[in-house]
Amino acid sequence: MEELTNTMENTMPRIGDTAPSFVAQSTQGEINFPDDFDGKWVILFSHPADFTPVCTSEFMTFAKRQKEFEKHNCQLIGLSVDGLYSHIAWLRTIKEKIKFRDMENIEVKFPLIEDITMNVANKFGMIQPNESDTKAVRAVFFIDPNVKIRAIIYYPLSLGRNFNELMRVLIALQTADKYQIATPADWQPGEKVIVPPPGSCGVATDRMEGKENNMECLDWFFCMKELPKEEMLD
Ligand code: BEZ
């Protein structure tokens, strides 16, 4: 078990890595990643098993919010180590039978990968044997249009994901790319962002003397600004 754990850790992709490529069967046909997703952001996420309650609540929420992700040029791809017929049966049950919160008659239109061989799950370090060696943990990979992994969030089997946080992470990454800024703790779209620290003593002094437009500095290394309202991602 120790040896297996180490092997998994060594092959887990990390932030900044190019996401591993794969070909897989899904509920929407064959997927060729990354070629089928040219120019798009991708959220690739795993769930432990079909026909389980936490996963069902998550799938309904992903499906309900799919258009919001797409508005941000982001495609969803789900994965579990179940087979294709299990996936199809589960998605049919969700649509036909399950009412959860304000959701019912929910059709999952994004692809759900079958990964009985754990080929894709292993490439992405989704099997974490000390949590479960037969099920994927709840992993979320944010992959940018250059196929770079930009953020990774892992949840254990027992904990359903926070979808407002997934959306916030996506928008924060896209905002950071667009404006070369960073985002502070608990940042929400529309709030002030953090400008990169000054590259010289002169710029530090200018900022502290209020000579840079629209910048609010708490100290020379900690300055924030508003983004143009009309261009704000939300
Ligand atoms: C669930 O999705 O409900 C679940 C899956 C695996 C283990 C525990 C809960």
Side-chain angles (χ1 to χ4, degrees):
M1 179 60 79
E2 194 57 37
E3 201 177 304
L4 177 64
T5 306
N6 287 340
T7 308
M8 293 298 178
E9 278 170 5
N10 290 340
T11 58
M12 267 167 75
R14 291 170 293 195
I15 290 175
D17 291 354
T18 298
S21 56
F22 60 83
V23 178
Q25 299 306 316
S26 86
T27 49
Q28 301 291 324
E30 186 175 281
I31 287 187
N32 210 314
F33 177 86
D35 297 357
D36 293 347
F37 300 87
D38 193 29
K40 308 252 186 235
W41 285 74
V42 169
I43 292 181
L44 171 65
F45 66 96
S46 55
H47 72 273
D50 298 346
F51 293 102
T52 51
V54 179
C55 300
T56 300
S57 70
E58 291 188 317
F59 256 69
M60 294 179 79
T61 312
F62 264 126
K64 183 184 168 195
R65 300 189 68 166
Q66 182 179 358
K67 284 218 156 34
E68 259 180 273
F69 286 103
E70 286 176 355
K71 188 179 128 201
H72 292 284
N73 189 32
C74 180
Q75 300 292 307
L76 303 174
I77 308 176
L79 174 152
S80 80
V81 301
D82 298 288
L84 191 59
Y85 296 140
S86 167
H87 284 346
I88 292 170
W90 182 44
L91 299 190
R92 286 175 62 86
T93 301
I94 287 176
K95 179 164 163 42
E96 287 164 13
K97 298 206 180 123
I98 308 293
K99 293 182 189 166
F100 171 64
R101 297 197 177 125
D102 63 341
M103 296 177 277
E104 65 178 304
N105 195 28
I106 295 286
E107 189 170 356
V108 174
K109 294 182 178 155
F110 56 83
L112 170 52
I113 290 173
E114 71 151 354
D115 195 29
I116 296 176
T117 60
M118 300 188 183
N119 173 41
V120 181
N122 281 331
K123 280 187 176 188
F124 281 84
M126 291 164 168
I127 306 294
Q128 305 198 355
N130 294 329
E131 176 72 342
S132 169
D133 53 11
T134 56
K135 294 176 170 64
V137 295
R138 299 181 199 280
V140 188
F141 286 82
F142 296 80
I143 303 169
D144 74 15
N146 296 318
V147 200
K148 287 273 179 291
I149 295 173
R150 299 292 300 280
I152 307 172
I153 309 179
Y154 291 109
Y155 297 74
L157 303 192
S158 61
L159 176 61
R161 284 164 268 224
N162 181 318
F163 287 78
N164 290 334
E165 174 63 359
L166 302 187
M167 192 61 73
R168 189 188 80 95
V169 170
L170 177 67
I171 294 174
L173 291 169
Q174 294 180 345
T175 303
D177 285 0
K178 186 167 179 190
Y179 296 101
Q180 275 76 57
I181 52 80
T183 46
D186 291 336
W187 179 82
Q188 292 294 336
E191 293 181 352
K192 283 183 182 166
V193 298
I194 293 180
V195 295
S200 70
C201 294
V203 174
T205 304
D206 284 353
R207 287 186 182 180
M208 288 310 285
E209 290 176 356
K211 289 185 185 155
E212 294 222 24
N213 277 345
N214 304 322
M215 222 176 261
E216 176 204 340
C217 292
L218 310 186
D219 204 336
W220 65 268
F221 66 92
F222 190 165
C223 297
M224 294 190 293
K225 69 174 183 185
E226 304 261 12
L227 291 176
K229 287 263 179 298
E230 63 284 2
E231 291 181 39
M232 211 106 73
L233 300 169
D234 58 13

